[in-house]
């Protein structure tokens, strides 16, 4: 066979190609041992991953601490929305982004105000809301499709991206 590859017969079978690559891989030199230093264990990717995990834990801690303060959460969110509205007004732009944001917020509001189980669909299926039959049962007349905290959190995530 020549160096130009003209006389080689191509092998289209994937199984044979895997067999050829495994025979060449076993003949190659072994991989170097991993470093035992903790500061250089994964390089920049590991450092970034650790930083993201730390930031995620801190954000979750703040969310957990803010859960009981409903009024303060919504007041803070109103401030963020006001700052965005003033920014869009004075810059004189962001109209398409604001329009899309309004549609998304309207979708969230509809989900927040809607019941988890559609009463019309439940009537058709015969699974209407039932009254409690035992003293241990709890009567929940209205369960939201989107709970208040998730509604607030979705709006905060949108505000954080702007």
């Amino acid at each position: 066979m020549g160096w130009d590859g003209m006389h080689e017969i191509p092998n289209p079978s994937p199984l044979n190609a895997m067999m050829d690559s495994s025979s060449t891989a076993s003949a190659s030199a072994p991989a170097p041992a991993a470093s035992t230093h903790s500061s250089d264990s994964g390089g920049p990717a590991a450092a970034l991953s650790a930083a993201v995990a730390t930031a995620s834990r801190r954000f979750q801690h703040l969310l957990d601490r803010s859960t009981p303060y409903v009024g303060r959460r919504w007041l803070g969110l109103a401030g963020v929305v006001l700052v965005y509205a003033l920014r869009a007004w004075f810059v004189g732009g962001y109209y398409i982004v604001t329009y899309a944001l309004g549609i998304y917020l309207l979708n969230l509001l509809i989900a927040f105000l809607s019941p988890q189980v559609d009463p019309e669909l439940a009537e058709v299926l015969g699974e209407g809301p039932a009254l409690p039959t035992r003293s241990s049962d709890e009567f929940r007349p209205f369960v939201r499709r989107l709970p208040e905290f998730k509604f607030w959190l979705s709006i905060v995530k949108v505000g954080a991206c702007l």
Side-chain angles (χ1 to χ4, degrees):
M1 287 190 210
W3 288 96
D4 60 354
M6 301 275 284
H7 302 290
E8 293 181 32
I9 300 171
N11 190 0
S13 171
L15 180 60
N16 290 339
M18 286 190 329
M19 294 172 91
D20 290 340
S21 66
S22 65
S23 64
T24 58
S26 63
S28 65
S35 174
T36 58
H37 300 296
S38 62
S39 62
D40 193 33
S41 63
L48 180 64
S49 176
V52 167
T54 302
S56 176
R57 277 193 308 266
R58 287 183 181 171
F59 182 67
Q60 187 62 46
H61 178 71
L62 288 174
L63 285 178
D64 292 341
R65 288 188 58 185
S66 70
T67 300
Y69 305 107
V70 177
R72 291 179 185 172
R73 283 190 286 122
W74 283 101
L75 189 62
L77 181 64
V80 170
V81 169
L82 180 66
V83 167
Y84 175 76
L86 289 174
R87 177 181 155 205
W89 179 268
F90 286 119
V91 171
Y94 303 104
Y95 297 123
I96 295 175
V97 173
T98 305
Y99 182 73
L101 178 65
I103 291 172
Y104 178 70
L105 294 178
L106 184 61
N107 186 18
L108 287 175
L109 181 67
I110 289 171
F112 175 68
L113 296 175
S114 299
Q116 188 173 17
V117 178
D118 187 15
E120 292 177 2
L121 184 61
E123 278 182 23
V124 171
L125 297 176
E127 302 172 358
L131 294 174
T133 57
R134 296 182 299 262
S135 62
S136 63
D137 289 343
E138 180 182 358
F139 177 64
R140 300 189 69 165
F142 187 76
V143 179
R144 297 182 187 279
R145 185 181 311 167
L146 183 65
E148 182 269 336
F149 185 78
K150 288 186 179 181
F151 177 53
W152 174 82
L153 184 60
S154 298
I155 297 173
V156 166
K157 286 179 181 178
V158 167
C161 291
L162 298 175

